[in-house]
Amino acid sequence: MNLAVLGAQWGDEGKGKIVDLLTPRFSIVARYQGGHNAGHTVYVNGTKFILRLIPSGILHPHVTCVIGNGVVVDPQALFAEVDELARNGVEVDGRIAISDKAHLILPYHRDLDLLLEARRGDRKIGTTSRGIGPAYEDKIARRGIRVGDLADPVGLEATVRDNVTARNRLIQDSTMDWRPVVEQLLTDGERLRPWIRDVSVMLHQAMREGRPILFEGAQGTLLDIDHGTYPYVTSSSATIGGVCTGLGVSPRAIGAVVGVAKAYTTRVGEGPLPTELFGEQGQRLRESGQEYGSVTGRPRRCGWYDAVAVRYGVRINGLDVLALTKLDVLDGLEQIEICTAYRCGSRTLTDFPSDVGQLAACEPVYESMPGWSAPTRGIRRFEALPEAARRYIARLEEVSGVRAAIVSTGSERDDTIIRDDIMKLQDGRIAGLQD
Ligand code: IMP
């Protein structure tokens, strides 16, 4: 069975760890959207790996990693990541495939990202300034450059010349020369060449041979270009639909969907966050959860678990189960709040509002739960959790409308509870979901 693993909140849910944990059951891990704005952190035997473009399955030698057409690729960022993995003893060559239809991020996309943010002033989005939005803009405007275009120097030159000329017009006093951009791309093309594939064909072949695929999402449901808190979103389809468009597979290829959610909520960048905690409480979560962006180092905004947002993720993505992460960060809190609805003027909303202005005007409706003092860090059996922690999880499941099959209690691969009664990892496969 193929499985999709994606973010049920505003990104940074801990997808990297969950993908890494599940990978032994799969022969391919395929990323379907986003770019090096993502930062998937995986700890193995005390070594920290941050993966941005390369799927988190790369740390398992038997796995082939696929970068789909829905991803935007900055070749320099990709090479830096490959080199960093090699320095840590992880060989990538022969185990990586990049779609010929994936679009490239070029130096002028990074410049434009910064420029557009500066022009937005106090309406800025708080992007990662990696050129993600401008690269997707070019894709949609049908002037983008795809990985496969690197094999056609004449066409490449014409498109880069046009794009750089347009950029020079947009940025005052800018005289970027298109020639070095083309030269760099041709050099990059040489290094990329052995990895370039028709990814859709490759995945269908794998499915015919019965080799299971894990579809890996980046960012999260509320950052999705269509279903997120627009315009405070990223520029790609982080929700389940992105699997099909970003890899060229049918919806029938997706056997089950795991949503990853933190036991509380975080967001980095601008835009509404109804359960945000300011002052000491927010700082407490930020420090004990080490909530600083793995790409930009920015402090993440922190708040209580928002069941309205997660329920929305359940609806949009058809989540079968949750992987609940960072439970241990809540250790030692006397009281924990869960947001079960929003109050918006005189109305109580139980559905996530469609309009970002309305969301910004919402106040959370909280339900209080007692906390626990015994540490949960590193606990690997559900029964070993303090009773209050088990009650907290049970209530999150009730109000979110989905069971938590996995509970993560620390950053290491094995600091994880897998609840056999909901989902079983056995004989190299996953049972208990729609099988
Ligand atoms: P962009 O993707 O760089 O255009 O940024 C758009 C918004 O998405 C900003 O609020 C970013 O902070 C946020 N964002 C992008 N990638 C991630 C991620 O991997 N985790 C969390 N937030 C992200």
Side-chain angles (χ1 to χ4, degrees), residues 10-12 37-39 125-128 132 219 223 233-234 268-269 298:
W10 276 272
D12 306 320
N37 50 349
I125 290 164
T127 72
T128 59
I132 305 292
Q219 289 84 46
L223 287 174
V233 292
T234 191
V268 61
R298 291 180 291 177

Side-chain angles (χ1 to χ4, degrees), residues 19-52:
V19 169
D20 173 70
L21 176 81
L22 296 173
T23 293
R25 276 90 199 157
F26 296 89
S27 58
I28 296 180
V29 179
R31 255 288 286 278
Y32 60 87
Q33 45 72 235
H36 64 308
N37 50 349
H40 294 160
T41 309
V42 184
Y43 287 86
V44 184
N45 301 328
T47 306
K48 181 179 180 179
F49 293 88
I50 298 182
L51 298 156
R52 303 181 193 287

Side-chain angles (χ1 to χ4, degrees), residues 6 9 12 19 79 86-87 107 125 166 193 222 245 262 269 275 361 382 386 392 397 409 424 434-435:
L6 49 79
Q9 295 163 322
D12 306 320
V19 169
F79 299 150
R87 271 194 293 280
I125 290 164
R193 196 183 351 210
L222 281 318
T245 55
K262 270 182 200 165
T275 61
F382 192 72
Y392 178 65
E397 293 181 318
T409 56
K424 249 196 181 85
Q434 306 166 350
D435 213 349

Side-chain angles (χ1 to χ4, degrees), residues 10-13 15 34-40 113 117 120 125-134 136 218-220 223 231-236 266-271 293-296 298 300-301:
W10 276 272
D12 306 320
E13 298 93 347
K15 295 176 291 292
H36 64 308
N37 50 349
H40 294 160
D113 201 350
E117 276 288 86
R120 284 185 194 113
I125 290 164
T127 72
T128 59
S129 65
R130 296 296 186 269
I132 305 292
Y136 278 114
Q219 289 84 46
L223 287 174
Y232 302 102
V233 292
T234 191
S235 299
S236 65
T266 65
R267 168 167 210 169
V268 61
E270 307 301 317
S294 55
V295 174
T296 58
R298 291 180 291 177
R300 296 182 187 136
R301 300 154 65 193

